[in-house]
Amino acid sequence: MGLDRSRITIAGVLKILLIVALILFVGITIFIVNKIRIDADSALRNAKNVRMSLRSADIEMYAAGKSIYNPSKKNGLEDGVKTKVEQYAETKGSYSITSYDTKAHELTGMTYRQGSYVVYFSKDGENITWDVNFILNVYHFDESDVIAE
């Protein structure tokens, strides 16, 4: 009889441990998904603020006969645009203009990166699209070439 009680106790403890592990796994999964979603919403909100700031800077530069877009630059921004954008919004990430309609003086494409999130903006006529992507770095590998002489 004593042996049966210890088996029941061990089986009961194992069931409890399995239930606790399952609850922890589900809880951690829900937490991670919510954290990613909240940070993605923050990146989108900041990208929208940058777009509005770029529109305001474009209005100012249009009055001076200039544009915010310079296709010869790596990030597509004309000189002085970053300082004008920083006057209107606090930029927590980096951004670049990918397309611009020179006839309508309108921003039609932008990329905004904040941490592990990349926000893509595109405008085609009246249709506006925002895509928020999470970039997961799998691993980093460093190596060096050794040349034998």
Side-chain angles (χ1 to χ4, degrees):
M1 273 197 169
L3 188 58
D4 289 336
R5 278 191 156 188
S6 65
R7 284 188 184 175
I8 292 173
T9 305
I10 292 173
V13 169
L14 287 176
K15 284 181 184 178
I16 291 172
L17 287 176
L18 184 62
I19 291 170
V20 168
L22 183 64
I23 289 171
L24 281 174
F25 177 74
V26 170
I28 290 172
T29 303
I30 291 171
F31 173 77
I32 290 173
V33 168
N34 283 333
K35 175 76 169 130
I36 289 173
R37 180 63 186 213
I38 289 168
D39 289 346
D41 289 342
S42 173
L44 177 61
R45 182 175 46 254
N46 291 333
K48 286 183 175 185
N49 289 341
V50 167
R51 178 183 174 239
M52 287 186 351
S53 298
L54 282 169
R55 290 178 76 185
S56 297
D58 193 34
I59 291 169
E60 282 185 31
M61 294 187 80
Y62 177 71
K66 297 180 180 179
S67 171
I68 59 170
Y69 184 59
N70 186 348
S72 63
K73 301 274 181 139
K74 181 180 176 182
N75 59 3
L77 297 173
E78 185 63 64
D79 293 331
V81 172
K82 280 198 178 237
T83 56
K84 289 185 182 296
V85 168
E86 289 173 358
Q87 289 176 354
Y88 300 116
E90 179 182 339
T91 58
K92 296 180 181 178
S94 60
Y95 54 93
S96 62
I97 297 175
T98 56
S99 64
Y100 184 82
D101 185 0
T102 54
K103 291 180 183 176
H105 288 282
E106 189 168 35
L107 180 66
T108 56
M110 178 184 80
T111 302
Y112 178 80
R113 182 171 183 147
Q114 178 179 322
S116 296
Y117 298 90
V118 179
V119 180
Y120 298 102
F121 164 77
S122 64
K123 182 174 182 183
D124 185 21
E126 296 298 318
N127 299 326
I128 295 176
T129 304
W130 294 93
D131 291 317
V132 182
N133 294 334
F134 178 71
I135 298 175
L136 180 64
N137 187 12
V138 177
Y139 65 87
H140 179 78
F141 184 75
D142 286 327
E143 68 177 329
S144 62
D145 286 335
V146 178
I147 299 174
E149 291 183 28

